[in-house]
Amino acid sequence: MPGLFERTPDGGAALTLDPVEISILRSLSVQLLELVGPGTEPSDDPFAELFAEGPSAPPSDPVLRRLFPDAYGGPGDRETQELKEAAAEFRRYTENDLRAKKREDALAVVHALDALPTASDGSGRLHVQGPAAQTWLRTLNDLRLALSTRLDITAEDDTDALYRLPDSDPRKPMVMAYLWLGGLQETLVETLLP
C-alpha cells in the first residue's frame, strides 16, 4: 500500500511519498508550527530561560487546548477552584517547554521532507529510526489531534460518520488527511515494535 511505513532491515521505518503526500505533510506541519507559535527569543541568561513563566490560562483555540490540556481534572471531573489553581500553576511552568518541543518536532519533519531525495516523478523515500522515528510519531499524533478537533471528533461514532461524507462535503479533504495520518501513525508504530 503506497504512503504507509514499512519496516527496514536496520530496524527503522521507510515510507515512499508522492509529491502530493509530501506537500500535504509539509503543509500540515507548517500549519502546526504556526498554530503552536513562534516561541520566545533566546535569552543570554540560561537561568532566566529555565525559570521563565509561561501562560497560566488554557489557550482559547480548541486545537491548542487539545494539544496543551490542563494537567489536572478532566471530562466528568467537578471543576473546583483547587483544581483550576493547580492546573494554572502546572501550565505556567510547563507549557513553554511543551510548545518548544512541538515546534522542534514539527520543524524536524519539515526539514526531513525538504531534504528528501526525489525521483524523476517527484516521489521521495523517507527513512527514520531511533529518535527521528519518535519525532515523527509525536508530530503525526499532534497533526491528528489538530484535525480531529477541527472535525469535532470526540467519539468512535464521529469517525464512522465521517467515512460516509459525500465527496461534495467541504470537510472531505480534511477527513481524508486525518485517516491517512492515522494509517501513517499506526504503521510507524507497528514497524518500530520488536
Side-chain angles (χ1 to χ4, degrees):
M1 179 177 233
L4 298 176
F5 281 98
E6 305 164 342
R7 187 183 308 267
T8 57
D10 63 2
L15 167 70
T16 300
L17 296 164
D18 67 32
V20 172
E21 292 169 329
I22 293 169
S23 176
I24 290 169
L25 273 173
R26 189 180 192 291
S27 175
L28 289 172
S29 297
V30 167
Q31 289 176 50
L32 180 64
L33 279 166
E34 291 170 355
L35 182 66
V36 169
T40 57
E41 291 297 319
S43 167
D44 291 336
D45 182 357
F47 288 111
E49 281 186 43
L50 183 63
F51 296 105
E53 291 186 13
S56 59
S60 59
D61 184 290
V63 171
L64 290 175
R65 275 197 312 272
R66 184 85 186 266
L67 293 173
F68 305 105
D70 279 336
Y72 300 98
D77 287 345
R78 199 176 103 249
E79 193 173 50
T80 64
Q81 187 61 30
E82 185 180 345
L83 276 179
K84 281 183 183 179
E85 289 171 5
E89 186 74 5
F90 187 81
R91 180 179 298 283
R92 183 178 15 233
Y93 294 108
T94 60
E95 188 170 313
N96 285 344
D97 289 341
L98 291 171
R99 282 180 182 263
K101 185 61 179 162
K102 288 184 186 302
R103 278 191 299 275
E104 180 184 314
D105 288 346
L107 192 57
V109 167
V110 170
H111 287 189
L113 292 169
D114 288 348
L116 277 181
T118 54
S120 59
D121 66 355
S123 66
R125 182 99 172 140
L126 173 73
H127 179 263
V128 294
Q129 64 185 84
Q134 297 303 315
T135 295
W136 273 81
L137 276 175
R138 287 188 299 270
T139 299
L140 289 171
N141 186 62
D142 288 344
L143 293 174
R144 289 193 74 234
L145 285 173
L147 289 175
S148 69
T149 302
R150 293 289 189 235
L151 290 166
D152 200 25
I153 297 172
T154 57
E156 187 66 32
D157 292 344
D158 297 334
T159 305
D160 294 340
L162 293 174
Y163 279 112
R164 296 185 296 277
L165 285 178
D167 289 342
S168 60
D169 191 299
R171 297 173 294 169
K172 190 70 172 203
M174 197 181 314
V175 169
M176 298 307 293
Y178 172 77
L179 296 172
W180 177 58
L181 290 171
L184 289 180
Q185 188 178 24
E186 182 179 341
T187 56
L188 182 52
V189 167
E190 288 171 355
T191 61
L192 299 176
L193 292 175

